[in-house]
């Protein structure tokens, strides 16, 4: 454009107008007349607009929401590519999301069709800012184009810009985006091998291997030993394959001063639009996943949302179905016995929630509890479960079953305020059940979320006479010293430690540390997820007090569980049909 300002002062503006309706061209020119006199070249297709852009001198483009052969988004993209410096004013009513997107695609301003009084001033501003914007953009592009000097790869700013465009386009392209955050494990070791050039050599080699292994990915280096890749996913599973391929490039050794160096990498993956809808969040999420991969032992791929867990679509459907599920009586509690290692009698039962979904059948809590938590439905469902579990103790007692203790799981969302102790107190009174018959299971991680609040809650529950158990113990980083301050009765050692207890020395040591400490504090230990004889033997040797797991009994519906409770039930004498329940008598 004529950038000296004189053109603007004359208010004579050469414009490209791409409007959906022919009338719009006239109306816009009319509306802007006070501020500018528009010399109009109009087109009604993207192709037509591009021809004009190529052949005419233009100061500004005015485009409407609908274009003959596409949307204003396509047109914005096309104009960006053809004449990036041409200011573009979009005349359309856009919601907040679309507004942000329009600006990201290069719109200079957006004016609502109902607010055409703003059009003239918007054009004037666009012309004035256009010059400045072009200068700034050139400067920014120069910075963006600056490549990482070691590997020659693009850096963070360039990656973000590329991802931004890809994200805006992915819905129309019919694909999703996966961001793979790759961090070389123990890269320090390489630098310790020699001078910095050793590290640089390896980083260059990593970059080259990533390029070869993932030709369709956009690869950037964020600094240090961090590489970030963007992969478009047209077929389900291709991002998974890409992540595996990224880890696999480390299979062959790297050569430093003639010596082989074996390295591994951790990869965190997040995908859009499922895990995040903007670039910053997407990268942050993938980074969180890589931390998790490191924490779990490195040399692995970790998805932000674990594969197989609920996708966003499934979450929406689940939420819809969860509404009213209580009223439709679709929930049910199953009960899984826990056995005293010493006496082999049933020490209590854990109530485990099941959802009899009209279409999907029996659903396990991991599939729907996170959704219920996310959408604020867990309080109601949790209260229902508490009610049913306490009512069940009453029913068992009414048919002559000796007092049995029921453990009820509560979600982190139920821990805020004093709603939980109030609910528990009310229900114990309603069903006339002794507080000692109830145990509340709270996961370690939800306690650690807000320790002072959790402490208040634990004290309140204890004051009622209810027992408190820390579930999934060992997964939530409680410092063992903390335990002294927690008024708890039971530690449930997480299944992951039990799984390896029979063969790995490490987990044996963890279990030993926990049982020793627990004994010292007068706290009982329960090992959950016991599936094998060997695990049971080892747990007994490690002084675990109580065991629970498929080896002894699966979670059962009430009707199947009740007969087990009729008498004292030693582990070795449960007998009967294994049936659907998979009841097993280990010895
Ligand atoms: P959790 O409290 O750790 O419950 C133990 C889980 O381990 C149960 O899974 C149980 O079926 C399973 N399990 C028991 N023995 C074995 C075994 O030998 N091997 C294996 N692999 N698994 C075993 P389930 O019923 O699917 O429940 C999953 C989680 O859902 C529970 O973990 C608990 O955190 C949550 N949950 C269950 N019911 C409720 C509820 O009423 N409210 C809330 N907030 N959460 C619940
Ligand atoms: Mg539990
Ligand atoms: Mg558990």
């Amino acid at each position: 454009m004529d950038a000296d300002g004189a053109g603007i002062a004359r208010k004579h503006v050469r414009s490209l107008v791409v409007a959906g309706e022919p009338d719009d061209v006239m109306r816009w020119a009319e509306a802007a007349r006070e501020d500018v006199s528009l010399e109009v070249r109009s087109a009604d297709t993207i192709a037509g607009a591009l021809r004009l852009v190529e052949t005419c001198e233009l100061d500004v483009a005015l485009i409407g929401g609908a274009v003959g052969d596409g949307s204003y988004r396509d047109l914005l993209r096309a104009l960006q590519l053809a004449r990036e410096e041409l200011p573009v004013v979009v005349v359309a009513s856009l919601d907040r999301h679309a507004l942000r997107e329009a600006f990201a695609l290069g719109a200079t301003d957006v004016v609502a069709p109902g607010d055409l009084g703003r059009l003239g001033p918007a054009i004037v501003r666009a012309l004035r800012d256009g010059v400045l914007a072009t200068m700034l953009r050139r400067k920014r592009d120069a910075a963006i184009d600056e490549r990482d000097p070691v590997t020659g790869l693009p850096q963070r700013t360039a990656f973000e810009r590329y991802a931004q465009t890809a994200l805006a386009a992915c819905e129309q392209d019919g694909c999703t985006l996966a961001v793979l955050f790759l961090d070389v494990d123990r890269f320090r070791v390489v630098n310790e091998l020699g001078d910095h050039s050793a590290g640089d050599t390896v980083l260059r080699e990593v970059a080259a291997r990533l390029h070869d292994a993932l030709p369709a990915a956009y690869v950037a280096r964020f600094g240090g030993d961090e590489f970030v890749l963007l992969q478009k996913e047209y077929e389900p599973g291709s991002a998974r394959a890409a992540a595996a391929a990224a880890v696999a490039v480390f299979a062959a050794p790297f050569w430093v001063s003639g010596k082989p160096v074996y390295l591994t990498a951790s990869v965190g993956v997040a995908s859009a639009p499922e895990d995040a809808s903007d670039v910053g969040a997407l990268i942050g999420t993938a980074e969180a996943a890589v931390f998790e991969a490191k924490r779990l032992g490195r040399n692995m791929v970790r998805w932000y949302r674990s594969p197989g867990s609920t996708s966003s679509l499934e979450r929406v459907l689940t939420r819809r179905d969860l509404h009213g599920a209580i009223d439709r009586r679709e929930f049910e509690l199953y009960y899984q016995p826990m056995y005293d290692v010493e006496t082999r009698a049933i020490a209590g039962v854990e109530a485990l929630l099941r959802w009899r979904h009209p279409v999907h059948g029996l659903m396990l809590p991991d599939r729907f509890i996170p959704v219920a938590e996310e959408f604020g439905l867990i309080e109601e469902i949790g209260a229902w479960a508490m009610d049913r579990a306490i009512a069940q103790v009453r029913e068992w007692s009414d048919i002559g079953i000796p007092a049995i203790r029921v453990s009820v799981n509560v979600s982190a969302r139920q821990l805020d305020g004093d709603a939980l102790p109030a609910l528990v107190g009310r229900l114990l009174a309603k069903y006339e059940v002794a507080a000692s018959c109830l145990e509340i299971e709270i996961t370690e991680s939800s306690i650690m979320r807000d320790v002072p609040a959790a402490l208040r809650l634990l004290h309140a529950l204890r004051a009622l006479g209810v027992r408190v158990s820390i579930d999934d113990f060992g997964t939530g980083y409680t410092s063992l010293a903390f335990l002294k301050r927690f008024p708890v009765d039971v530690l449930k050692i997480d299944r992951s430690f039990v799984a390896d207890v029979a063969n790995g020395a490490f987990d044996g040591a963890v279990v030993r540390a926990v049982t020793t400490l627990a004994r010292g504090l007068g706290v009982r230990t329960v090992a959950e997820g016991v599936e094998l004889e060997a695990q049971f033997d080892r747990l007994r040797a490690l002084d675990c007090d109580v065991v629970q797991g498929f080896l002894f009994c699966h979670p059962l519906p009430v009707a199947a569980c009740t007969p087990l409770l009729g008498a004292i039930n030693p582990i070795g004498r449960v007998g009967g049909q294994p049936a659907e329940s998979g009841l097993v008598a280990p010895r």
Side-chain angles (χ1 to χ4, degrees):
M1 79 173 239
D2 162 357
D4 59 11
I8 301 173
R10 279 200 312 275
K11 295 184 187 167
H12 178 84
V13 178
R14 295 160 299 182
S15 67
L16 163 68
V17 180
V18 189
E21 302 290 326
D23 285 355
D24 283 343
V25 181
M26 290 307 298
R27 282 198 299 140
W28 296 355
E30 190 59 32
R33 211 173 62 169
E34 252 189 32
D35 304 284
V36 289
S37 113
L38 289 184
E39 177 189 328
V40 173
R41 314 216 171 234
S42 72
D44 49 15
T45 60
I46 296 178
L50 289 179
R51 255 194 313 278
L52 290 174
V53 166
E54 273 160 27
T55 51
C56 306
E57 292 277 316
L58 293 167
D59 303 315
V60 70
L62 308 179
I63 70 176
V67 186
D69 53 352
S71 76
Y72 69 96
R73 293 190 196 87
D74 303 316
L75 181 54
L76 273 174
R77 263 190 225 112
L79 289 175
Q80 271 287 302
L81 289 173
R83 279 259 319 261
E84 199 190 10
E85 72 285 2
L86 182 70
V88 183
V89 178
V90 177
V91 185
S93 37
L94 305 182
D95 62 20
R96 262 184 38 223
H97 170 76
L99 262 182
R100 273 182 26 206
E101 186 193 39
F103 285 117
L105 291 172
T108 318
D109 207 341
V110 177
V111 173
D115 197 10
L116 284 181
R118 280 192 55 233
L119 186 60
I123 294 171
V124 173
R125 225 179 11 251
L127 294 172
R128 192 186 56 219
D129 297 348
V131 183
L132 187 65
T134 307
M135 277 162 51
L136 285 175
R137 201 178 299 125
R138 293 227 172 96
K139 208 166 144 202
R140 193 188 62 195
D141 288 353
I144 286 171
D145 285 340
E146 213 168 88
R147 301 240 151 185
D148 166 42
V150 177
T151 60
L153 290 175
Q155 308 186 80
R156 185 187 270 266
T157 335
F159 181 89
E160 285 171 350
R161 193 160 112 118
Y162 179 84
Q164 185 72 56
T165 321
L167 196 58
C170 79
E171 195 182 323
Q172 276 155 33
D173 293 354
C175 66
T176 57
L177 289 187
V179 167
L180 284 61
F181 203 110
L182 182 149
D183 192 299
V184 184
D185 298 326
R186 302 196 173 89
F187 189 69
R188 228 172 356 99
V189 177
V190 178
N191 281 327
E192 284 163 8
L193 282 177
D195 55 11
H196 262 295
S197 71
D200 289 355
T201 311
V202 171
L203 290 171
R204 264 194 296 276
E205 175 71 16
V206 170
R209 289 188 191 181
L210 285 173
H211 258 308
D212 289 348
L214 296 149
Y218 182 94
V219 186
R221 180 178 172 221
F222 274 25
D225 53 2
E226 294 171 351
F227 294 84
V228 182
L229 295 84
L230 188 116
Q231 169 92 19
K232 289 189 177 175
E233 185 170 39
Y234 290 94
E235 308 266 314
S238 64
R240 188 177 309 283
V247 168
V249 307
F250 289 83
F254 294 83
W255 293 88
V256 176
S257 324
K259 293 198 194 72
V261 178
Y262 290 89
L263 291 172
T264 58
S266 302
V267 176
V269 189
S271 49
E274 275 191 344
D275 300 330
S277 54
D278 68 86
V279 169
L282 194 57
I283 296 170
T285 311
E287 193 171 5
V290 87
F291 280 136
E292 183 69 3
K294 296 254 171 199
R295 188 180 75 79
L296 290 171
R298 305 185 171 93
N299 189 22
M300 67 172 87
V301 177
R302 198 69 202 165
W303 287 68
Y304 173 66
R305 192 178 304 287
S306 60
S309 80
T310 32
S311 70
S312 51
L313 178 63
E314 203 184 328
R315 271 162 45 227
V316 170
L317 297 179
T318 306
R319 172 174 69 158
R320 189 197 61 193
D321 294 352
L322 272 173
H323 275 294
I326 293 183
D327 293 339
R328 293 191 301 272
R329 298 168 181 266
E330 289 169 0
F331 289 118
E332 195 177 323
L333 287 182
Y334 272 39
Y335 294 90
Q336 185 181 32
M338 298 180 248
Y339 296 90
D340 188 301
V341 173
E342 204 54 45
T343 66
R344 305 193 166 197
I346 289 182
V349 292
E350 176 171 11
L352 294 162
L353 191 60
R354 297 291 180 265
W355 181 15
R356 231 170 251 293
H357 190 282
V359 176
H360 306 306
L362 194 70
M363 281 172 62
L364 295 177
D366 290 343
R367 257 180 88 186
F368 61 87
I369 286 194
V371 182
E373 287 176 335
E374 184 179 352
F375 295 109
L377 302 166
I378 193 65
E379 285 86 348
E380 198 192 345
I381 296 171
W384 177 89
M386 189 65 75
D387 182 284
R388 286 300 83 205
I390 297 176
Q392 191 58 56
V393 177
R394 173 82 264 154
E395 278 171 38
W396 278 329
S397 143
D398 285 349
I399 58 169
I401 288 175
I404 181 92
R405 179 178 295 124
V406 176
S407 300
V408 180
N409 293 283
V410 296
S411 137
R413 289 281 299 258
Q414 291 172 269
L415 305 184
D416 298 336
D418 46 25
L420 184 65
L423 172 75
V424 168
R426 210 163 51 238
L427 293 175
L428 290 174
K430 174 175 166 193
Y431 295 108
E432 298 180 33
V433 164
S436 58
C437 288
L438 183 66
E439 186 169 283
I440 307 281
E441 293 195 5
I442 306 177
T443 62
E444 185 186 12
S445 50
S446 54
I447 289 184
M448 296 311 286
R449 262 189 356 159
D450 182 353
V451 172
L455 271 173
R456 271 197 305 280
L457 177 83
L458 298 185
H459 279 294
L461 289 172
R462 274 296 212 55
L464 288 170
V466 169
R467 300 220 313 184
V468 175
S469 161
I470 303 190
D471 206 351
D472 304 341
F473 187 74
T475 58
Y477 313 107
T478 313
S479 105
L480 288 180
F482 249 140
L483 269 183
K484 282 195 214 132
R485 294 175 49 206
F486 288 145
V488 298
D489 306 275
V490 178
L491 294 182
K492 289 192 88 168
I493 301 168
D494 190 64
R495 206 159 65 212
S496 55
F497 297 104
V498 173
D500 287 333
V501 82
N503 40 35
F506 173 70
D507 290 301
V510 171
V511 173
R512 166 63 75 195
V514 174
T515 56
T516 307
L517 179 85
R519 290 240 158 134
L521 296 170
V523 169
R524 304 261 288 166
T525 46
V526 179
E528 57 182 12
V530 184
E531 294 178 351
L532 305 171
E533 284 279 339
Q535 293 166 344
F536 174 61
D537 291 340
R538 190 86 178 95
L539 289 162
R540 190 173 42 189
L542 290 168
D543 289 333
C544 251
D545 300 311
V546 175
V547 284
Q548 174 184 4
F550 296 166
L551 177 63
F552 314 109
C553 189
H554 279 244
L556 303 172
V558 180
C561 187
T562 303
L564 301 181
L565 310 174
I568 307 295
N569 288 274
I571 298 181
R573 282 198 272 127
V574 279
Q577 287 304 96
E580 177 253 12
S581 62
L583 213 57
V584 177
R587 53 194 61 212

